């Protein structure tokens, strides 16, 4: 049915109706908002059915804010194993060992100025240290810090193995989560092993796992920072210390989200300690103090974003093929699980428009085109997240890798984002894309073609949004076109006008 409106009245009503749809950007435009004065518009609206289907994913681009470790088995979706490879940020140019700096802050980096005084107050405080030499590592750890985020059984025993890499990870490569660790690590040098529970000691809001490291490796590492070392650049450091392979090696129970990890070495050294002894300024040779040598310090080297690191995911026991045959729902699972293929079927969109408004598309303006996908809420059998993923990305499948590698944002022509609203619905505004294809006779290459939906996370910084592929174990399922609940079937809701 069609109605004729004066332009001002129609645009008021159409705009109000369209803005009731939800997306992640409250400031989005909705096609034409101004028409020549005096024109009469004919308004139309209709729905186009959409089909969805599962797409198996065996590898994804490994680019995320976090690293993941552990193994977890979900009753419905099977086993997910998480490991990682990482280089070590050498901090070259910023570290010299032994560190003889005298620190007067509780978060000191160097020699604590009250160490002698704490043994015998007559010695007073340490003023300075000279002739530092003879560094020896006393202990070393590979530390893994996580913020309490985990999925699974926090009391189950699991084990971590840390190996030294034998090959250098290529710089600026588009590393995939399917990377083969044996290409970079022969497992001949085990640096350390730890059996742990996720529900271990909590340090503030951060929990830290410490894997004891081989002391020979730690001593060689510290030699890089001592006088006479010829290693001056990160690339040189990588050749000698390519990095680590952090492997899950025993049992299963939980997966943790790692905020920071790296190597920490604790060492002592010798030197002349300038201090006050019995009220007199004096110099004490640390070797004369025996077991109370206060010349102790530490060095921390992180596995961070400044160097190459790669998440590795395996699904050793995966019933995803069975899940993909669900007639009621299309499942979206991360990581390396299932995407949802979405057939936007532009021919059906165009035919639905021209059948009402006529074949002349030059006078047609798309005021709203919203792809609506309805997700199921809490009543399904899995221990993964009981609510749908907060954000989904609709994108051409061949463009996924470049989108994340290049830190792109949705342009609403070839990529779109939607937030799950309170009714568990994702509403993708595809108005611009439909208008563009309509204007060009449907010949726009890649627009609304080979589209898939995948889970993402979104962060904000200085009013700028950043989009990351969701690599945390999650699951969402959306109703299919064959769903028994007809009102939940996926559709594209169209609102458009034609100038007379």
């Amino acid at each position: 049915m069609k109605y004729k409106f004066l332009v001002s009245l129609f645009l008021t009503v159409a705009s109000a109706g369209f803005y009731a749809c939800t997306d992640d950007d409250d400031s989005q435009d909705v096609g034409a908002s101004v028409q020549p004065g005096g024109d009469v518009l004919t308004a139309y609206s209709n729905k186009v059915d959409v089909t969805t289907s599962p797409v198996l994913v065996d590898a994804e681009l490994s680019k995320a804010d976090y690293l993941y470790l552990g193994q977890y088995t979900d009753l419905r979706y099977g086993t997910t194993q998480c490991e990682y490879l990482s280089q070590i940020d050498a901090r070259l140019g910023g570290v010299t060992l032994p560190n003889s700096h005298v620190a007067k802050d509780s978060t000191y980096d160097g020699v604590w100025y009250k160490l002698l005084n704490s043994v015998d107050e007559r010695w007073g405080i340490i003023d300075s240290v000279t002739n530092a030499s003879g560094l020896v590592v006393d202990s070393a750890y590979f530390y893994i810090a996580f913020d309490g985020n985990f999925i699974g059984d926090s009391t189950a025993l699991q084990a971590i193995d840390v190996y030294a890499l034998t090959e250098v990870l290529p710089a600026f490569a588009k590393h995939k989560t399917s990377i083969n660790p044996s290409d970079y690590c022969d497992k001949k040098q085990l640096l350390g092993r730890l059996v742990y529970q996720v529900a271990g000691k909590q340090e503030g809001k951060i929990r830290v796992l410490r894997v004891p490291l081989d002391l020979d490796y730690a001593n060689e590492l510290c030699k890089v920072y001592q006088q006479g070392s010829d290693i001056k650049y990160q690339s040189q450091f990588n050749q000698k210390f390519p990095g680590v392979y952090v492997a899950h090696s025993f049992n299963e129970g939980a997966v943790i989200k790692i905020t920071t990890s790296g190597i920490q070495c604790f060492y002592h050294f010798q030197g002349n300690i300038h201090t006050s002894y019995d009220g007199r300024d004096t110099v004490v040779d640390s070797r004369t103090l025996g077991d109370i040598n206060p010349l102790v310090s530490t060095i921390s080297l992180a596995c961070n974003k400044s160097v190459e690191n790669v998440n590795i995911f395996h699904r050793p026991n995966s019933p995803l093929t069975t899940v993909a045959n669900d007639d009621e729902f299309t499942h979206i699972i991360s990581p390396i699980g299932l995407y949802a293929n979405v057939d936007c079927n532009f021919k059906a969109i165009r035919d639905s428009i021209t059948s009402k408004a006529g074949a002349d598309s030059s006078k047609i303006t798309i005021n709203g085109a919203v792809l609506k996908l309805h997700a199921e809420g809490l009543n399904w059998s899995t221990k993964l997240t009981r609510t749908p993923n907060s954000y989904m990305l609709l994108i051409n499948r061949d463009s996924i890798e470049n989108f994340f590698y290049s830190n792109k944002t949705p342009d609403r022509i070839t990529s779109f984002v939607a937030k799950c609203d309170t009714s568990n619905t994702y509403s993708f505004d595809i108005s611009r894309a439909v208008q563009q294809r309509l204007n060009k006779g449907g010949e726009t290459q890649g627009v609304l073609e080979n589209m898939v939906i995948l889970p993402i996370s979104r962060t904000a910084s200085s009013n700028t949004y950043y989009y990351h592929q969701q690599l945390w174990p999650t699951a969402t399922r959306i109703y299919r076109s064959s769903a028994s609940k007809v009102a939940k079937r996926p559709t594209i809701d169209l609102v458009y006008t034609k100038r007379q």
Side-chain angles (χ1 to χ4, degrees):
M1 184 179 294
K2 51 185 175 179
Y3 301 89
K4 292 187 176 182
F5 296 80
L6 292 176
V7 63
S8 60
L9 177 59
F10 167 74
L11 290 175
T12 300
V13 175
S15 298
F18 186 82
Y19 274 108
C21 300
T22 62
D23 205 329
D24 73 308
D25 185 352
D26 294 336
S27 64
Q28 296 183 52
D29 62 315
V30 290
S33 58
V34 178
Q35 296 287 350
D39 277 2
V40 176
L41 304 179
T42 303
Y44 306 87
S45 65
N46 60 278
K47 295 179 182 290
V48 176
D49 292 333
V50 173
T51 59
T52 63
S53 57
V55 179
L56 282 167
V57 181
D58 58 6
E60 297 173 291
L61 183 71
S62 178
K63 186 175 183 182
D65 277 353
Y66 301 94
L67 295 169
Y68 304 93
L69 181 67
Q71 183 167 305
Y72 167 71
T73 298
D74 180 75
L75 295 177
R76 174 174 289 238
Y77 297 118
T79 301
T80 303
Q81 185 185 82
C82 308
E83 304 176 319
Y84 64 95
L85 305 175
S86 183
Q87 293 176 343
I88 302 164
D89 184 357
R91 295 175 59 192
L92 292 165
V95 176
T96 301
L97 298 183
N99 183 356
S100 58
H101 170 70
V102 177
K104 297 185 178 181
D105 188 283
S106 58
T107 56
Y108 70 91
D109 181 17
V111 178
W112 180 234
Y113 78 119
K114 286 187 176 180
L115 269 179
L116 272 179
N117 180 264
S118 64
V119 176
D120 188 332
E121 63 181 14
R122 296 177 304 164
W123 284 339
I125 62 173
I126 298 173
D127 297 317
S128 63
V129 177
T130 58
N131 298 325
S133 63
L135 183 152
V136 177
V137 175
D138 300 303
S139 61
Y141 300 90
F142 188 84
Y143 65 89
I144 298 171
F146 62 104
D147 60 4
N149 264 321
F150 72 92
I151 185 167
D153 181 0
S154 65
T155 63
L157 287 175
Q158 297 183 112
I160 304 166
D161 284 349
V162 180
Y163 296 96
L165 297 187
T166 53
E167 298 293 332
V168 178
L169 289 165
F172 307 111
K174 294 181 179 180
H175 298 293
K176 296 294 188 68
T177 57
S178 58
I179 191 171
N180 187 349
S182 63
D183 291 341
Y184 300 93
C185 177
D186 59 15
K187 289 190 174 182
K188 290 182 179 178
Q189 190 175 7
L190 176 65
L191 299 179
R193 171 174 290 175
L194 177 70
V195 177
Y196 71 100
Q197 291 175 303
V198 171
K201 181 181 178 182
Q202 184 169 349
E203 301 181 4
K205 293 184 179 180
I206 299 294
R207 299 182 184 183
V208 182
L209 304 175
R210 290 186 174 88
V211 184
L213 286 188
D214 178 77
L215 290 184
D216 289 338
Y217 178 87
N219 274 293
E220 287 299 311
L221 192 66
C222 286
K223 287 179 181 178
V224 171
Y225 304 94
Q226 298 179 54
Q227 189 174 3
S229 172
D230 58 356
I231 296 179
K232 307 298 181 184
Y233 304 102
Q234 181 73 43
S235 58
Q236 295 174 306
F237 180 90
N238 291 343
Q239 290 298 322
K240 187 167 184 178
F241 301 99
V244 292
Y245 168 33
V246 183
H248 173 86
S249 66
F250 171 76
N251 205 4
E252 65 177 40
V255 171
I256 58 176
K257 182 186 292 185
I258 298 169
T259 54
T260 57
S261 66
I263 292 174
Q264 190 170 30
C265 300
F266 298 86
Y267 63 87
H268 72 269
F269 60 99
Q270 304 299 332
N272 294 327
I273 304 169
H274 298 256
T275 184
S276 300
Y277 188 80
D278 279 338
R280 296 170 296 167
D281 292 338
T282 188
V283 178
V284 179
D285 187 334
S286 61
R287 290 172 295 183
T288 66
L289 298 175
D291 294 336
I292 54 174
N293 180 7
L295 301 185
V296 294
S297 192
T298 181
I299 177 175
S300 295
L301 304 172
C303 298
N304 56 28
K305 292 183 180 180
S306 298
V307 292
E308 300 295 319
N309 38 63
V310 188
N311 279 300
I312 307 171
F313 299 123
H314 305 284
R315 284 190 176 273
N317 170 27
S318 176
L320 295 187
T321 303
T322 302
V323 173
N325 293 326
D326 189 339
D327 291 331
E328 188 76 8
F329 299 99
T330 297
H331 297 251
I332 303 171
I333 302 164
S334 67
I336 59 164
L338 295 171
Y339 294 161
N341 180 71
V342 180
D343 183 4
C344 292
N345 195 346
F346 180 75
K347 183 180 184 301
I349 296 173
R350 181 181 57 196
D351 290 348
S352 72
I353 293 172
T354 57
S355 66
K356 289 189 174 186
D360 184 5
S361 60
S362 64
K363 294 184 178 182
I364 295 174
T365 297
I366 303 298
N367 298 96
V370 181
L371 169 64
K372 289 190 174 182
L373 300 173
H374 303 276
E376 199 205 16
L378 302 175
N379 61 340
W380 46 294
S381 174
T382 178
K383 291 185 178 180
L384 294 179
T385 306
R386 292 301 182 111
T387 56
N389 198 73
S390 296
Y391 292 94
M392 291 287 181
L393 179 71
L394 173 68
I395 190 171
N396 181 284
R397 187 175 183 183
D398 295 333
S399 303
I400 295 172
E401 185 176 290
N402 187 55
F403 180 90
F404 291 109
Y405 183 79
S406 302
N407 296 316
K408 291 187 176 182
T409 57
D411 60 11
R412 295 166 53 214
I413 295 291
T414 60
S415 54
F416 315 82
V417 68
K419 182 179 182 180
C420 187
D421 65 19
T422 55
S423 64
N424 290 333
T425 300
Y426 299 98
S427 298
F428 296 90
D429 175 12
I430 60 173
S431 307
R432 286 182 180 177
V434 172
Q435 184 73 69
Q436 184 179 102
R437 287 201 65 173
L438 196 65
N439 290 348
K440 297 185 178 182
E443 300 302 322
T444 305
Q445 186 69 25
V447 177
L448 298 180
E449 293 179 342
N450 194 24
M451 305 299 286
V452 295
I453 290 177
L454 61 149
I456 60 172
S457 59
R458 191 183 76 166
T459 57
S461 177
S462 301
N463 298 320
T464 300
Y465 290 118
Y466 298 92
Y467 298 86
H468 311 279
Q469 191 158 1
Q470 180 65 274
L471 298 181
W472 182 242
T474 62
T476 299
R477 62 183 189 178
I478 57 176
Y479 288 89
R480 301 183 72 161
S481 56
S482 56
S484 57
K485 295 183 178 180
V486 176
K488 296 289 188 179
R489 293 175 179 176
T491 60
I492 296 174
D493 296 358
L494 295 165
V495 176
Y496 49 100
T497 56
K498 182 178 180 181
R499 297 197 310 274
Q500 301 301 312

